[in-house]
Amino acid sequence: MAMGEHPDAAVVRRACTAFQQGDLDTLSTLVTADVVQHVPGDNMLAGHHKGRDACMQLWRTEYEETGGTLRVDIDSVMPDGRGHVISGHRCRAERGNRTMDMKTGLFFTIVGGKISDIDQCVEDIDAADAFWGK
């Protein structure tokens, strides 16, 4: 944790680091049981993933479908001090003969020191749809 980092930002940073390392066990402890992740677009991952188990399956699928090539590097973590954090990332992956390299952003809601909601935004929805397919 950076010196003086807000506790909400620290939770998000820990979660992003765990995801980056493929440490889904740690990640599962940083989200609420009823966590929801909203994935944009019209592709195999798009939609509202409700509950810890559904989110865990989403994250496993992202790794499985990319053969472990998925890299999500944190650029910034910005809390509002009122239970919300925005993180900026560079997302890179390979899937079959497709590659992805784009900026992404996550908007987190923090409740009781855990992540309860994740809204995902991507730099290019059409490119994300083409990468993930149906």
Side-chain angles (χ1 to χ4, degrees):
M1 180 163 110
M3 184 187 227
E5 186 170 47
H6 190 277
D8 292 346
V11 167
V12 166
R13 191 175 300 280
R14 283 178 52 214
C16 290
T17 299
F19 182 86
Q20 171 64 27
Q21 295 171 345
D23 183 358
L24 299 185
D25 290 338
T26 294
L27 185 54
S28 73
T29 69
L30 300 172
V31 299
T32 61
D34 62 350
V35 64
V36 179
Q37 181 163 348
H38 311 274
V39 180
D42 182 18
N43 61 66
M44 67 178 289
L45 301 179
H48 308 286
H49 303 268
K50 299 176 182 179
R52 183 183 289 129
D53 290 345
C55 288
M56 295 295 291
Q57 184 56 51
L58 166 67
W59 302 327
R60 278 193 293 272
T61 299
E62 288 176 318
Y63 276 102
E64 289 165 4
E65 287 290 325
T66 60
T69 64
L70 181 62
R71 302 279 311 161
V72 182
D73 297 315
I74 303 170
D75 290 330
S76 57
V77 176
M78 300 167 283
D80 72 355
R82 296 177 289 111
H84 303 105
V85 178
I86 294 175
S87 62
H89 308 266
R90 185 98 202 159
C91 183
R92 298 175 183 89
E94 297 173 9
R95 183 170 178 255
N97 62 352
R98 303 177 195 125
T99 59
M100 177 174 53
D101 183 355
M102 73 173 67
K103 294 177 186 175
T104 62
L106 298 172
F107 180 86
F108 295 90
T109 301
I110 312 295
V111 175
K114 292 192 176 195
I115 297 165
S116 69
D117 195 87
I118 307 165
D119 273 300
Q120 183 175 335
C121 298
V122 296
E123 184 175 35
D124 186 335
I125 291 175
D126 292 337
D129 285 345
F131 179 79
W132 291 110
K134 285 289 204 171

